[in-house]
Amino acid sequence: MQTEFRLPALGADMEAGTLVEWHVAPGDRCKRGDVVAVVETDKGAIDVEVFVDGIVRELLVPPGTRVPVGTVLALLDTEAAAPAPEKVPTPSRTPAEEGAAEAIQPRVKISPAARKRALEMHVDVASLRGTGPEGAITLQDVERVGPSPQPSPAVAAEGAAGMRAAIAAAMSRSKREIPHYYLATTVDVTPAVEWLAAHNAAVPVTERLLLPVLLVKAVALACREQAGFSGFYREAKYERTPVVHVGVAVALRGGGLVAPALADTATRSLPELMDGFRDLVTRARAGRLRASELAAPTIILTSLGEASVETVLPIIQPPQVAIVGAGEAAVRPWIVDGNVVPRHLLTLSLGADHRVTDGRLGAHFLARIAALLADPAAL
Amino acid sequence: MNREQTARRVLELLTAIAPDVEANSVIPGVAFRDQFDFDSMDTLNFAIALHREFGVDVPETDYAHLASLDQCVAYLAERLA
């Protein structure tokens, strides 16, 4: 059977993307979840996976082409995947050609700034020799080469401006369509901060945890217990998703942000979530997120503690129905047993959708997150 | 490894964990946080990279010594002495 592989939408307001490179060629076998293409979008360069097992029959869109969401990028044979593939009916390649094909396989190491410039200048990054750390291609390497003689026609104007426009479109839609309500509460997170400090002092540096990981787990557990905050609002109806995927807002250094999901957050241990979180942050900043990660979040956690902000009043990312904000965990005066004592306090906030819940339910939800944070060892 | 070699290696580690930072744009005397929004995740990844490279386990309480390239090189010199 023939299956069409289309450019997926990676967010409510993505309209198009530019195919940057193919990781497969006709005749290649691919498995569900394999990354087969890189697409430059307003969320950066995204690895796009296939969702079926199959053999690539034909690539329909050449690199450098900007296409709308939903465009058929390639054709796959899905039945042929079961038996061992017949030899592709083309002359077999010589060992030298095999070697050349192999050499292209490893991901080109290139800084996002250089990748962006290369796209703008129509420079084929595979032809460059990097002078950066571990042979990475730097901005200078790209600019030294200059534009290639035959520029491809439709290269995107993505990048920082494109991302800003996409954020503006999504947030405008959110504010226009979603009747938000906002709640905030101060949480004494001293138990979590102390537990983390003790944990991190006792384990090797590679196993240290960060506070947002505890927050993300507490949010996921609260979502699992209480309906109305995790899921999607579509066609005038709230659908609660059976599995909670908490998206973590990651700020990009050049400006802008993305919120990829930590899949099935509620069932994963803190060390697993930490590894996942680290991986997402690294890849978000290197422009190497996967399409499935961007489309998955059922709720987002936005933590602005690093920016010394006390309270976040977060805006929902449609079609989600809630977003949790966390400010800085700062030492402030607090009253315990009638005495003013210094404690680590964090303002936890909620932006939620009045079409689905009310303030009272929202208050319960925040209180539940706070209660979960009070017993960090149980997370 | 002399101070200059250490600084060069530290810079390589830094750009490996933060690939969106251009190595030749790093100002040695200015905090990473002030130059390119280095956050707690970056600091932790940096500590892990230093541990792998130099075998120095930097406790969380010493993270303040990793704030800039100059501070980091001085701290390593002390720990490795």
Side-chain angles (χ1 to χ4, degrees):
Chain A
M1 200 182 72
Q2 180 173 297
T3 302
E4 292 173 336
F5 169 63
R6 293 169 182 274
L7 177 63
L10 309 173
D13 293 272
M14 173 175 156
E15 289 173 357
T18 301
L19 194 115
V20 179
E21 71 187 283
W22 282 108
H23 286 321
V24 290
D28 284 357
R29 172 189 282 265
C30 52
K31 289 196 311 292
R32 179 188 158 86
D34 282 355
V35 173
V36 295
V38 181
V39 175
E40 185 74 27
T41 72
D42 43 39
K43 291 183 168 68
I46 304 299
D47 286 338
V48 184
E49 310 107 307
V50 280
F51 289 95
V52 291
D53 295 347
I55 290 172
V56 179
R57 175 185 292 180
E58 192 182 354
L59 304 180
L60 300 174
V61 173
T65 316
R66 183 175 167 84
V67 291
V69 165
T71 302
V72 180
L73 301 175
L75 298 175
L76 307 175
D77 286 323
T78 43
E79 253 163 28
E86 293 298 309
K87 273 259 182 275
V88 187
T90 51
S92 60
R93 288 187 275 186
T94 66
E97 281 167 339
E98 293 282 0
E102 294 279 298
I104 302 167
Q105 286 307 314
R107 191 63 60 68
V108 178
K109 253 182 100 73
I110 178 168
S111 76
R115 181 182 288 280
K116 181 166 169 270
R117 192 81 185 104
L119 258 181
E120 289 165 359
M121 292 173 61
H122 315 298
V123 170
D124 177 11
V125 295
S127 69
L128 298 181
R129 260 194 66 226
T131 60
E134 295 171 14
I137 296 164
T138 66
L139 193 57
Q140 286 73 18
D141 294 332
V142 174
E143 290 180 336
R144 202 176 302 128
V145 175
S148 61
Q150 63 273 61
S152 54
V155 171
E158 274 106 352
M163 177 175 282
R164 179 58 48 209
I167 293 169
M171 294 300 98
S172 300
R173 177 180 158 198
S174 175
K175 285 278 177 167
R176 196 166 57 236
E177 294 178 5
I178 304 176
H180 282 72
Y181 65 88
Y182 302 97
L183 306 173
T185 186
T186 303
V187 181
D188 179 357
V189 290
T190 310
V193 170
E194 288 178 347
W195 181 86
L196 264 183
H199 171 88
N200 289 349
V203 298
V205 61
T206 47
E207 291 170 31
R208 286 179 194 163
L209 303 173
L210 295 172
L211 185 60
V213 170
L214 274 60
L215 296 173
V216 100
K217 181 74 184 276
V219 168
L221 291 174
C223 284
R224 205 164 59 169
E225 293 172 13
Q226 203 174 328
F229 300 96
S230 171
F232 304 113
Y233 191 90
R234 286 179 183 137
E235 290 159 15
K237 214 172 86 217
Y238 165 61
E239 309 154 25
R240 185 182 189 184
T241 46
V243 180
V244 179
H245 305 299
V246 180
V248 283
V250 178
L252 305 181
R253 281 184 241 277
L257 80 164
V258 287
L262 280 165
D264 198 1
T265 321
T267 64
R268 292 164 75 187
S269 68
L270 293 177
E272 283 168 354
L273 290 173
M274 181 66 203
D275 288 344
F277 182 39
R278 183 200 317 278
D279 179 44
L280 285 182
V281 171
T282 307
R283 286 188 295 112
R285 290 181 173 158
R288 299 254 48 123
L289 286 173
R290 288 172 161 234
S292 55
E293 291 162 343
L294 283 169
T298 58
I299 182 171
I300 286 172
L301 170 70
T302 176
S303 180
L304 272 173
E306 306 278 348
S308 305
V309 153
E310 196 175 327
T311 308
V312 188
L313 298 173
I315 304 166
I316 300 165
Q317 172 85 39
Q320 294 155 34
V321 296
I323 179 166
V324 174
E328 183 187 19
V331 177
R332 297 180 197 276
W334 193 242
I335 295 172
V336 178
D337 298 331
N339 299 307
V340 179
V341 290
R343 302 286 283 181
H344 289 271
L345 304 182
L346 178 147
T347 305
L348 200 63
S349 53
L350 173 72
D353 188 335
H354 250 314
R355 297 172 301 183
V356 182
T357 57
D358 296 311
R360 193 178 164 79
L361 271 180
H364 284 310
F365 180 64
L366 281 185
R368 188 61 196 133
I369 298 171
L372 288 160
L373 287 171
D375 187 7
L379 282 174
Chain B
M1 202 182 262
N2 66 29
R3 200 185 163 89
E4 198 180 307
Q5 288 167 326
T6 306
R8 201 176 312 129
R9 190 67 194 124
V10 168
L11 197 56
E12 283 170 11
L13 297 174
L14 184 77
T15 50
I17 59 149
D20 41 353
V21 170
E22 291 283 339
N24 49 15
S25 72
V26 177
I27 307 163
V30 177
F32 300 138
R33 189 192 171 107
D34 297 332
Q35 290 189 71
F36 31 77
D37 287 340
F38 223 55
D39 60 18
S40 54
M41 178 68 84
D42 294 314
T43 303
L44 174 53
N45 289 341
F46 191 43
I48 292 171
L50 293 176
H51 176 67
R52 288 198 175 128
E53 178 72 19
F54 299 99
V56 172
D57 197 336
V58 184
E60 279 191 323
T61 45
D62 278 0
Y63 278 179
H65 298 293
L66 306 181
S68 71
L69 186 60
D70 281 347
Q71 278 178 284
C72 182
V73 172
Y75 176 77
L76 284 174
E78 195 180 306
R79 289 289 307 271
L80 292 168

